Amino acid sequence: MSKTLLVIGAIMFLSACGLQTEHYQGQTSRDDVENMGMNDDATQQTQNPRVVNEPGTTWGLKQDRELMKQAVDQIPGVKVKRLIMEASQVWVTVDVDGAEDLSEEELKDWKTEVKQAIYRAVPRYNTHVKIN
C-alpha cells in the first residue's frame, strides 16, 4: 500500500512540474509552430521560402514542360510529339526529319542531342528519348 501511494505521489509531483512550461525558455506552443512562417500581422502571405502555395511563373511542372519543349524545338529538324513527366523521370517522343533513313548510330546521336538539350534547360530530370 505504501509503495502504491509513493508511486501515485511521484506521478502527481512529476506531472505537476511538467505543467508549468510557459515560463520555460525553450518551450513553443502548437500555435507558435503553425505560425512560424507568418508575417508579424496575421495575413495569408508567408515569409517562409520553403512553403509555396502558388508557384507562379518561375517554376513548376508547366514551366518545366515548356522549357523542355523550347529546348528541343531549337534543334533543327526535331519536333516534340509527346512529353510525359512523372516524378524525376521524363519520357520524350520526338519526330526527326528523315528518321526512317537513319542508321542506329545516327539515331543514338539524335537521342543524345535531345537529352543534352533537355538537361541544359532543366537538369533535374532523368530523360528518356524515343524517336519516331
Side-chain angles (χ1 to χ4, degrees):
M1 179 75 168
S2 65
K3 288 183 182 181
T4 306
L5 289 175
L6 183 63
V7 169
I8 291 173
I11 291 173
M12 289 175 54
F13 176 73
L14 292 174
S15 65
C17 292
L19 293 176
Q20 298 177 1
T21 57
E22 55 223 16
H23 299 295
Y24 176 63
Q25 185 176 355
Q27 182 67 28
T28 57
S29 68
R30 183 174 180 88
D31 291 333
D32 292 338
V33 173
E34 288 177 353
N35 297 325
M36 279 185 174
M38 300 301 283
N39 293 336
D40 295 333
D41 298 329
T43 65
Q44 291 298 321
Q45 301 297 322
T46 62
Q47 293 176 345
N48 186 349
R50 295 177 66 182
V51 177
V52 179
N53 294 334
E54 299 175 23
T57 58
T58 57
W59 67 275
L61 294 177
K62 183 178 179 182
Q63 288 78 10
D64 288 352
R65 181 184 304 264
E66 288 302 316
L67 287 172
M68 290 178 205
K69 284 183 180 181
Q70 289 172 3
V72 174
D73 286 341
Q74 290 178 357
I75 302 171
V78 179
K79 181 168 174 52
V80 176
K81 187 173 183 180
R82 179 181 299 149
L83 196 140
I84 300 171
M85 299 172 69
E86 183 177 318
S88 65
Q89 304 294 320
V90 175
W91 289 271
V92 182
T93 304
V94 294
D95 284 331
V96 175
D97 293 341
E100 59 277 348
D101 299 330
L102 298 175
S103 67
E104 290 296 321
E105 188 66 32
E106 291 171 325
L107 288 173
K108 185 178 176 184
D109 290 342
W110 277 109
K111 287 180 182 181
T112 302
E113 188 172 346
V114 170
K115 280 185 183 182
Q116 288 176 352
I118 292 174
Y119 182 79
R120 284 190 298 269
V122 187
R124 62 184 158 267
Y125 294 98
N126 295 323
T127 307
H128 310 277
V129 179
K130 178 180 176 185
I131 297 178
N132 277 351

Short mmCIF file of all heavy atoms in Angstrom, two decimals, residues 59-90:
data_model
loop_
_atom_site.label_atom_id
_atom_site.label_comp_id
_atom_site.label_asym_id
_atom_site.label_seq_id
_atom_site.Cartn_x
_atom_site.Cartn_y
_atom_site.Cartn_z
N TRP A 59 8.69 28.58 -61.53
CA TRP A 59 9.00 27.15 -61.57
C TRP A 59 7.71 26.36 -61.42
O TRP A 59 6.68 26.86 -61.04
CB TRP A 59 9.99 26.77 -60.48
CG TRP A 59 9.42 26.89 -59.10
CD1 TRP A 59 9.37 28.01 -58.34
CD2 TRP A 59 8.80 25.85 -58.35
NE1 TRP A 59 8.76 27.74 -57.15
CE2 TRP A 59 8.39 26.43 -57.12
CE3 TRP A 59 8.55 24.51 -58.56
CZ2 TRP A 59 7.76 25.69 -56.14
CZ3 TRP A 59 7.91 23.79 -57.58
CH2 TRP A 59 7.53 24.38 -56.38
N GLY A 60 7.79 25.08 -61.74
CA GLY A 60 6.64 24.20 -61.65
C GLY A 60 6.64 23.27 -62.85
O GLY A 60 7.44 23.40 -63.78
N LEU A 61 5.75 22.29 -62.84
CA LEU A 61 5.71 21.30 -63.91
C LEU A 61 5.38 21.93 -65.26
O LEU A 61 5.97 21.59 -66.28
CB LEU A 61 4.70 20.20 -63.59
CG LEU A 61 5.04 19.33 -62.39
CD1 LEU A 61 3.93 18.32 -62.13
CD2 LEU A 61 6.36 18.63 -62.59
N LYS A 62 4.45 22.86 -65.26
CA LYS A 62 4.08 23.51 -66.52
C LYS A 62 5.26 24.28 -67.10
O LYS A 62 5.54 24.19 -68.30
CB LYS A 62 2.90 24.45 -66.27
CG LYS A 62 2.38 25.12 -67.51
CD LYS A 62 1.18 26.00 -67.18
CE LYS A 62 0.67 26.70 -68.42
NZ LYS A 62 -0.46 27.58 -68.12
N GLN A 63 5.97 25.00 -66.26
CA GLN A 63 7.12 25.77 -66.72
C GLN A 63 8.24 24.84 -67.19
O GLN A 63 8.90 25.10 -68.19
CB GLN A 63 7.62 26.71 -65.63
CG GLN A 63 6.71 27.87 -65.36
CD GLN A 63 5.48 27.51 -64.52
OE1 GLN A 63 5.39 26.42 -63.99
NE2 GLN A 63 4.55 28.42 -64.42
N ASP A 64 8.47 23.74 -66.45
CA ASP A 64 9.49 22.78 -66.85
C ASP A 64 9.16 22.17 -68.21
O ASP A 64 10.02 22.02 -69.07
CB ASP A 64 9.63 21.67 -65.81
CG ASP A 64 10.31 22.14 -64.54
OD1 ASP A 64 10.81 23.29 -64.52
OD2 ASP A 64 10.34 21.37 -63.56
N ARG A 65 7.90 21.81 -68.41
CA ARG A 65 7.47 21.23 -69.68
C ARG A 65 7.71 22.21 -70.83
O ARG A 65 8.22 21.83 -71.89
CB ARG A 65 5.99 20.86 -69.59
CG ARG A 65 5.42 20.23 -70.84
CD ARG A 65 3.93 19.99 -70.68
NE ARG A 65 3.65 19.18 -69.52
CZ ARG A 65 3.47 17.86 -69.53
NH1 ARG A 65 3.53 17.23 -70.67
NH2 ARG A 65 3.22 17.20 -68.42
N GLU A 66 7.37 23.48 -70.62
CA GLU A 66 7.58 24.48 -71.66
C GLU A 66 9.07 24.68 -71.96
O GLU A 66 9.46 24.81 -73.12
CB GLU A 66 6.94 25.82 -71.27
CG GLU A 66 5.43 25.81 -71.32
CD GLU A 66 4.90 25.45 -72.70
OE1 GLU A 66 5.43 25.98 -73.70
OE2 GLU A 66 3.97 24.63 -72.77
N LEU A 67 9.89 24.71 -70.92
CA LEU A 67 11.34 24.85 -71.13
C LEU A 67 11.90 23.69 -71.93
O LEU A 67 12.76 23.86 -72.81
CB LEU A 67 12.06 24.97 -69.79
CG LEU A 67 11.90 26.29 -69.04
CD1 LEU A 67 12.51 26.17 -67.65
CD2 LEU A 67 12.56 27.41 -69.81
N MET A 68 11.43 22.48 -71.63
CA MET A 68 11.89 21.30 -72.37
C MET A 68 11.49 21.37 -73.83
O MET A 68 12.30 21.10 -74.73
CB MET A 68 11.34 20.03 -71.73
CG MET A 68 11.93 19.70 -70.40
SD MET A 68 11.16 18.21 -69.74
CE MET A 68 11.40 18.47 -68.00
N LYS A 69 10.23 21.72 -74.08
CA LYS A 69 9.76 21.82 -75.47
C LYS A 69 10.53 22.87 -76.25
O LYS A 69 10.92 22.66 -77.39
CB LYS A 69 8.26 22.13 -75.50
CG LYS A 69 7.39 20.95 -75.18
CD LYS A 69 5.92 21.32 -75.31
CE LYS A 69 5.04 20.12 -74.99
NZ LYS A 69 3.61 20.44 -75.12
N GLN A 70 10.76 24.02 -75.61
CA GLN A 70 11.51 25.08 -76.28
C GLN A 70 12.93 24.64 -76.59
O GLN A 70 13.46 24.94 -77.66
CB GLN A 70 11.53 26.34 -75.42
CG GLN A 70 10.21 27.04 -75.32
CD GLN A 70 10.23 28.16 -74.30
OE1 GLN A 70 11.26 28.45 -73.70
NE2 GLN A 70 9.09 28.80 -74.09
N ALA A 71 13.56 23.93 -75.67
CA ALA A 71 14.94 23.48 -75.88
C ALA A 71 15.02 22.50 -77.04
O ALA A 71 15.94 22.57 -77.87
CB ALA A 71 15.48 22.83 -74.60
N VAL A 72 14.06 21.57 -77.13
CA VAL A 72 14.08 20.59 -78.21
C VAL A 72 13.72 21.25 -79.53
O VAL A 72 14.29 20.92 -80.58
CB VAL A 72 13.14 19.40 -77.89
CG1 VAL A 72 13.05 18.46 -79.06
CG2 VAL A 72 13.64 18.66 -76.65
N ASP A 73 12.78 22.19 -79.51
CA ASP A 73 12.38 22.86 -80.75
C ASP A 73 13.50 23.69 -81.35
O ASP A 73 13.46 24.02 -82.54
CB ASP A 73 11.15 23.74 -80.51
CG ASP A 73 9.88 22.91 -80.34
OD1 ASP A 73 9.87 21.73 -80.78
OD2 ASP A 73 8.90 23.44 -79.78
N GLN A 74 14.51 24.04 -80.58
CA GLN A 74 15.65 24.79 -81.11
C GLN A 74 16.59 23.91 -81.93
O GLN A 74 17.44 24.42 -82.66
CB GLN A 74 16.41 25.46 -79.98
CG GLN A 74 15.64 26.60 -79.35
CD GLN A 74 16.38 27.23 -78.19
OE1 GLN A 74 17.46 26.79 -77.80
NE2 GLN A 74 15.80 28.28 -77.62
N ILE A 75 16.45 22.60 -81.81
CA ILE A 75 17.28 21.69 -82.61
C ILE A 75 16.64 21.60 -84.00
O ILE A 75 15.47 21.23 -84.13
CB ILE A 75 17.34 20.29 -81.97
CG1 ILE A 75 17.90 20.38 -80.55
CG2 ILE A 75 18.18 19.34 -82.82
CD1 ILE A 75 17.81 19.08 -79.77
N PRO A 76 17.39 21.92 -85.07
CA PRO A 76 16.81 21.90 -86.41
C PRO A 76 16.41 20.47 -86.81
O PRO A 76 17.16 19.52 -86.62
CB PRO A 76 17.94 22.40 -87.31
CG PRO A 76 18.97 22.96 -86.41
CD PRO A 76 18.76 22.40 -85.05
N GLY A 77 15.19 20.34 -87.35
CA GLY A 77 14.72 19.04 -87.84
C GLY A 77 14.09 18.16 -86.77
O GLY A 77 13.75 17.02 -87.05
N VAL A 78 13.94 18.67 -85.55
CA VAL A 78 13.36 17.87 -84.46
C VAL A 78 12.12 18.59 -83.94
O VAL A 78 12.12 19.79 -83.74
CB VAL A 78 14.38 17.69 -83.31
CG1 VAL A 78 13.78 16.89 -82.18
CG2 VAL A 78 15.64 17.02 -83.81
N LYS A 79 11.06 17.80 -83.73
CA LYS A 79 9.82 18.35 -83.19
C LYS A 79 9.30 17.42 -82.11
O LYS A 79 9.27 16.21 -82.28
CB LYS A 79 8.78 18.48 -84.30
CG LYS A 79 7.47 19.08 -83.85
CD LYS A 79 6.61 19.44 -85.04
CE LYS A 79 5.23 19.91 -84.65
NZ LYS A 79 5.15 20.95 -83.68
N VAL A 80 8.89 18.00 -80.97
CA VAL A 80 8.37 17.21 -79.86
C VAL A 80 6.97 16.73 -80.22
O VAL A 80 6.10 17.51 -80.59
CB VAL A 80 8.31 18.04 -78.56
CG1 VAL A 80 7.66 17.25 -77.44
CG2 VAL A 80 9.70 18.48 -78.15
N LYS A 81 6.77 15.42 -80.10
CA LYS A 81 5.46 14.84 -80.36
C LYS A 81 4.71 14.60 -79.05
O LYS A 81 3.53 14.88 -78.93
CB LYS A 81 5.62 13.53 -81.12
CG LYS A 81 4.35 12.92 -81.59
CD LYS A 81 4.61 11.73 -82.48
CE LYS A 81 3.29 11.17 -82.99
NZ LYS A 81 3.53 10.02 -83.86
N ARG A 82 5.43 14.09 -78.03
CA ARG A 82 4.82 13.81 -76.73
C ARG A 82 5.86 14.00 -75.64
O ARG A 82 7.02 13.65 -75.83
CB ARG A 82 4.30 12.37 -76.70
CG ARG A 82 3.68 11.99 -75.38
CD ARG A 82 3.20 10.56 -75.36
NE ARG A 82 2.20 10.37 -76.38
CZ ARG A 82 2.02 9.22 -77.04
NH1 ARG A 82 2.78 8.20 -76.77
NH2 ARG A 82 1.10 9.10 -77.95
N LEU A 83 5.42 14.52 -74.50
CA LEU A 83 6.30 14.72 -73.36
C LEU A 83 5.55 14.29 -72.11
O LEU A 83 4.52 14.87 -71.78
CB LEU A 83 6.71 16.19 -73.27
CG LEU A 83 7.90 16.49 -72.39
CD1 LEU A 83 8.76 17.55 -73.04
CD2 LEU A 83 7.48 16.93 -71.03
N ILE A 84 6.03 13.25 -71.44
CA ILE A 84 5.38 12.73 -70.24
C ILE A 84 6.33 12.92 -69.07
O ILE A 84 7.49 12.51 -69.13
CB ILE A 84 5.03 11.24 -70.41
CG1 ILE A 84 4.08 11.05 -71.58
CG2 ILE A 84 4.43 10.69 -69.12
CD1 ILE A 84 3.85 9.61 -71.95
N MET A 85 5.81 13.53 -68.00
CA MET A 85 6.61 13.78 -66.80
C MET A 85 6.02 13.00 -65.64
O MET A 85 4.81 13.04 -65.42
CB MET A 85 6.62 15.27 -66.47
CG MET A 85 7.21 16.12 -67.56
SD MET A 85 7.00 17.89 -67.26
CE MET A 85 8.10 18.11 -65.89
N GLU A 86 6.88 12.30 -64.92
CA GLU A 86 6.45 11.58 -63.72
C GLU A 86 7.58 11.60 -62.72
O GLU A 86 8.63 10.99 -62.94
CB GLU A 86 6.08 10.14 -64.07
CG GLU A 86 5.55 9.36 -62.88
CD GLU A 86 5.12 7.97 -63.27
OE1 GLU A 86 4.49 7.80 -64.32
OE2 GLU A 86 5.45 7.05 -62.51
N ALA A 87 7.37 12.31 -61.63
CA ALA A 87 8.38 12.48 -60.58
C ALA A 87 9.65 13.05 -61.21
O ALA A 87 9.63 14.12 -61.79
CB ALA A 87 8.62 11.20 -59.83
N SER A 88 10.76 12.32 -61.13
CA SER A 88 12.02 12.83 -61.69
C SER A 88 12.32 12.25 -63.08
O SER A 88 13.42 12.41 -63.59
CB SER A 88 13.18 12.50 -60.75
OG SER A 88 13.34 11.10 -60.67
N GLN A 89 11.35 11.59 -63.67
CA GLN A 89 11.54 10.96 -64.98
C GLN A 89 10.76 11.73 -66.06
O GLN A 89 9.66 12.20 -65.81
CB GLN A 89 11.04 9.51 -64.96
CG GLN A 89 11.66 8.65 -63.89
CD GLN A 89 13.14 8.43 -64.12
OE1 GLN A 89 13.60 8.23 -65.25
NE2 GLN A 89 13.91 8.47 -63.05
N VAL A 90 11.36 11.83 -67.25
CA VAL A 90 10.71 12.46 -68.39
C VAL A 90 10.87 11.55 -69.60
O VAL A 90 11.99 11.12 -69.90
CB VAL A 90 11.33 13.84 -68.71
CG1 VAL A 90 10.73 14.43 -69.97
CG2 VAL A 90 11.16 14.78 -67.55
#
